[in-house]
Amino acid sequence: MNEKNTDRAADIIIIGAGASGMMAAISAALCWKMNHIKNKQIFLIDQNERAGKKLLATGNGRCNLTNLKQSPGCYMTCGSEPAVISGILSGFSPQDVIGFFKTSGMLTCDRNNYIYPKSMQAQTVADTLVRICESLNITFILNECISSICYLTSGVYRMITGQGREFTAKSLILSTGSPASVKRDYNGYKLAEMLGHSVIPPLPALCGLKADFRRVAGTGAGKTFFKQTAGVRCEAAAQAVVNGIPVSRERGELQITDYGLSGIVIFCLSRHISRGIFEKKPSAIWLDFLTDMTEPEVTAYLYEENGRNLTFHQALSGLLNSKLAKGLIDILAGKYKGISDHTPVCRIKPAVMAKIIGEIKHFEVMIAQTNELQRAQVCCGGVDLSQMKEDSLESRKLPGLYMCGELLDVDGICGGYNLQWAWSSGYRAGREAARRFCPGDIPKQKTERQDGQ
């Protein structure tokens, strides 16, 4: 419900009404309800005009809620506390997420382990979360941006908005997300720093990569290559290489753009490149455009009887997108004299052909920079996990202060993993914040119903 009174003091205030913030509010309210604790107030404060605004853009508007295929390698941190992530995720798993929404009146569907709302609309997810919050008497305070925050000696957190309004709370949860995909001013990290926390520099992740046109496949013809092949989508294997050392490999859809590389396979590698560039280390992507065949197999195929009399472009187009095949031949022709897309295969010496195929399977693109944070889906970096208690996400510096979601130094690969972290960390932070108000030790069981009925 919207704010209906002038009382600006709450038991718990949550700054940021996104996925993790609303989950934290719901988790806290349900913890109190299950333990018969009444007359407690939760405020959800957000600078946007509606709750869950950023959520609406996830999964191209379809909202990939989570992924059933989980492993430690799906989540990364720049700091030194990766074990914390697994513990938080296990407390509210993908199956718990599915059950939570089902008992709240929203069914999901499984698309090869990728979980979406059955409506295939992110709006359904946002509406469901808002409806649950309203049923639990959680107060939304929208269009309010917190500009300053402090912890008083009385054990209360005091916040002041840009409009000069003051709020106080006994417990505080920061769920302000990150500056990724945010078009307006972002001050979430500043709030954490005001409360004495350090932030690992946030960098773009799950984003496109801008090629250094001067260094593509060992040539300076990169601009022409990317202009020729822009718009091509294909299956490829990609390797992130930082300072000459391979750091991660993925396989999936690659999208070639006029500025460089994009697509899921690139998004999943982008955080490594982003960090490498930040540290001023040479960073590159090695591409294999012929993932299902070895170099000898490709060479043998091209020299088979049905291919010998074809032009190089015609033969290679039997294996690759035609536009991509021509672009590859054209950029490599400068390194192998006498080769063009019109050259008959039978006139290319096998040793030369083997070298060309080797380059197509190990195509190096040096990266100049990543896309901007505003164009990234998430960021790597954030509040250092070592400053949070691993079992509760409560600050080690201040009592009653919790953080969750993308504000923390955790980022996942494509496929619903970042939302899973939002649900899991929001659930834990909200429950633990509510437990501070409960007498004695209360059970840590998951809720059976999440609709407030």
Coordinates of all heavy atoms in Angstrom, one line a residue, residues 20 54 175-180 186 189 377-379 381-383 404-410 418 421-422 425:
S20 N 15.2 -7.9 -4.9 CA 15.8 -8.3 -3.6 C 15.1 -7.5 -2.5 O 14.8 -8.1 -1.4 CB 17.3 -8.1 -3.5 OG 17.6 -6.8 -3.6
K54 N 13.1 -1.9 -12.5 CA 14.2 -2.5 -13.2 C 13.9 -4.0 -13.6 O 14.4 -4.5 -14.6 CB 15.5 -2.5 -12.4 CG 16.8 -2.9 -13.1 CD 18.0 -2.6 -12.2 CE 19.3 -3.0 -12.9 NZ 20.5 -2.7 -12.1
S175 N 19.1 -2.5 -0.4 CA 18.9 -3.3 -1.5 C 18.8 -2.4 -2.8 O 17.9 -2.6 -3.5 CB 17.6 -4.2 -1.3 OG 16.5 -3.3 -1.2
T176 N 19.8 -1.6 -2.9 CA 19.7 -0.5 -3.9 C 20.2 -1.0 -5.3 O 20.3 -0.1 -6.2 CB 20.5 0.7 -3.5 OG1 21.9 0.2 -3.1 CG2 19.9 1.4 -2.3
G177 N 20.5 -2.2 -5.5 CA 21.0 -2.7 -6.8 C 22.3 -2.1 -7.1 O 23.2 -1.9 -6.3
S178 N 22.5 -2.0 -8.4 CA 23.8 -1.4 -8.9 C 23.5 -0.4 -10.0 O 22.4 -0.3 -10.4 CB 24.7 -2.5 -9.5 OG 24.3 -2.9 -10.8
P179 N 24.5 0.3 -10.5 CA 24.3 1.3 -11.5 C 24.1 0.7 -12.9 O 23.8 1.4 -13.9 CB 25.5 2.2 -11.5 CG 26.6 1.4 -10.9 CD 25.9 0.5 -9.9
A180 N 24.2 -0.6 -13.0 CA 24.0 -1.3 -14.3 C 22.6 -1.0 -14.8 O 21.6 -1.2 -14.0 CB 24.3 -2.8 -14.2
Y186 N 22.6 7.2 -9.4 CA 22.6 6.1 -8.5 C 23.5 6.4 -7.3 O 24.6 6.9 -7.5 CB 23.2 4.8 -9.3 CG 23.4 3.7 -8.4 CD1 22.4 2.8 -8.0 CD2 24.7 3.4 -7.8 CE1 22.6 1.8 -7.2 CE2 24.9 2.4 -7.0 CZ 23.9 1.5 -6.6 OH 24.1 0.5 -5.8
Y189 N 26.0 2.9 -3.6 CA 27.3 2.6 -3.0 C 27.6 3.7 -2.0 O 28.3 3.5 -0.9 CB 28.3 2.5 -4.0 CG 28.2 1.4 -5.0 CD1 28.3 1.6 -6.4 CD2 27.8 0.1 -4.5 CE1 28.1 0.5 -7.2 CE2 27.7 -1.0 -5.4 CZ 27.8 -0.8 -6.8 OH 27.6 -1.8 -7.6
Q377 N 23.9 -5.4 -18.1 CA 22.8 -6.0 -17.4 C 23.1 -6.0 -15.8 O 22.2 -5.8 -15.0 CB 22.5 -7.4 -17.8 CG 21.9 -7.5 -19.2 CD 21.5 -8.8 -19.7 OE1 21.4 -9.7 -18.8 NE2 21.3 -9.0 -20.9
V378 N 24.3 -6.3 -15.5 CA 24.8 -6.2 -14.1 C 26.2 -5.7 -14.0 O 26.7 -5.3 -15.0 CB 24.7 -7.6 -13.4 CG1 23.3 -8.2 -13.4 CG2 25.7 -8.6 -14.1
C379 N 26.7 -5.6 -12.8 CA 28.1 -5.1 -12.7 C 28.8 -6.1 -11.8 O 28.2 -6.8 -11.0 CB 28.2 -3.7 -12.2 SG 27.8 -3.6 -10.4
G381 N 31.7 -6.3 -8.9 CA 32.1 -5.4 -7.8 C 30.9 -5.1 -6.9 O 29.8 -5.6 -7.1
G382 N 31.2 -4.2 -6.0 CA 30.1 -3.8 -5.0 C 30.6 -3.9 -3.6 O 31.8 -4.0 -3.4
V383 N 29.7 -3.9 -2.7 CA 30.1 -4.0 -1.3 C 30.8 -5.3 -1.0 O 30.2 -6.4 -1.3 CB 28.9 -3.8 -0.3 CG1 29.3 -4.0 1.1 CG2 28.3 -2.4 -0.6
C404 N 21.7 -6.8 0.5 CA 21.3 -7.9 -0.3 C 21.3 -7.5 -1.8 O 21.3 -6.3 -2.1 CB 20.0 -8.5 0.1 SG 18.6 -7.3 0.1
G405 N 21.2 -8.5 -2.6 CA 21.0 -8.3 -4.0 C 22.3 -7.8 -4.7 O 23.4 -8.0 -4.3
E406 N 22.1 -7.0 -5.8 CA 23.2 -6.6 -6.6 C 24.2 -5.6 -6.0 O 25.3 -5.3 -6.5 CB 22.7 -6.1 -7.9 CG 23.6 -6.2 -9.2 CD 22.9 -5.7 -10.4 OE1 21.7 -5.9 -10.6 OE2 23.6 -5.1 -11.2
L407 N 23.7 -5.0 -4.9 CA 24.6 -4.0 -4.2 C 25.9 -4.7 -3.7 O 26.9 -4.1 -3.7 CB 23.8 -3.5 -3.0 CG 24.6 -2.6 -2.0 CD1 24.9 -1.2 -2.7 CD2 23.8 -2.3 -0.8
L408 N 25.8 -6.0 -3.4 CA 26.9 -6.8 -2.9 C 27.8 -7.2 -4.1 O 27.3 -7.3 -5.2 CB 26.4 -8.0 -2.1 CG 25.7 -7.7 -0.8 CD1 25.0 -9.0 -0.3 CD2 26.6 -7.1 0.2
D409 N 29.0 -7.6 -3.7 CA 30.0 -8.0 -4.7 C 29.7 -9.5 -5.2 O 30.4 -10.4 -4.8 CB 31.4 -7.9 -4.2 CG 32.4 -8.5 -5.1 OD1 32.2 -8.5 -6.3 OD2 33.4 -9.0 -4.5
V410 N 28.6 -9.7 -5.9 CA 28.2 -11.0 -6.4 C 27.6 -10.7 -7.8 O 26.7 -9.9 -7.9 CB 27.2 -11.7 -5.5 CG1 26.8 -13.0 -6.2 CG2 27.8 -11.9 -4.1
N418 N 21.3 -14.0 -11.7 CA 21.4 -12.8 -10.9 C 20.1 -12.6 -10.1 O 20.1 -12.1 -9.0 CB 21.7 -11.6 -11.8 CG 23.2 -11.7 -12.2 OD1 24.1 -11.4 -11.4 ND2 23.4 -12.0 -13.5
W421 N 20.1 -14.8 -7.1 CA 20.9 -14.2 -6.0 C 20.0 -13.2 -5.3 O 20.0 -13.0 -4.1 CB 22.2 -13.6 -6.5 CG 22.9 -12.8 -5.5 CD1 23.0 -11.4 -5.4 CD2 23.5 -13.3 -4.3 NE1 23.7 -11.0 -4.3 CE2 24.0 -12.1 -3.6 CE3 23.7 -14.6 -3.7 CZ2 24.7 -12.3 -2.4 CZ3 24.3 -14.7 -2.5 CH2 24.8 -13.5 -1.8
A422 N 19.2 -12.4 -6.1 CA 18.3 -11.4 -5.5 C 17.3 -12.0 -4.6 O 17.1 -11.6 -3.4 CB 17.6 -10.6 -6.6
S425 N 19.3 -13.8 -1.4 CA 19.9 -12.8 -0.5 C 18.8 -11.9 0.2 O 18.9 -11.6 1.3 CB 21.0 -12.0 -1.2 OG 20.4 -11.2 -2.2

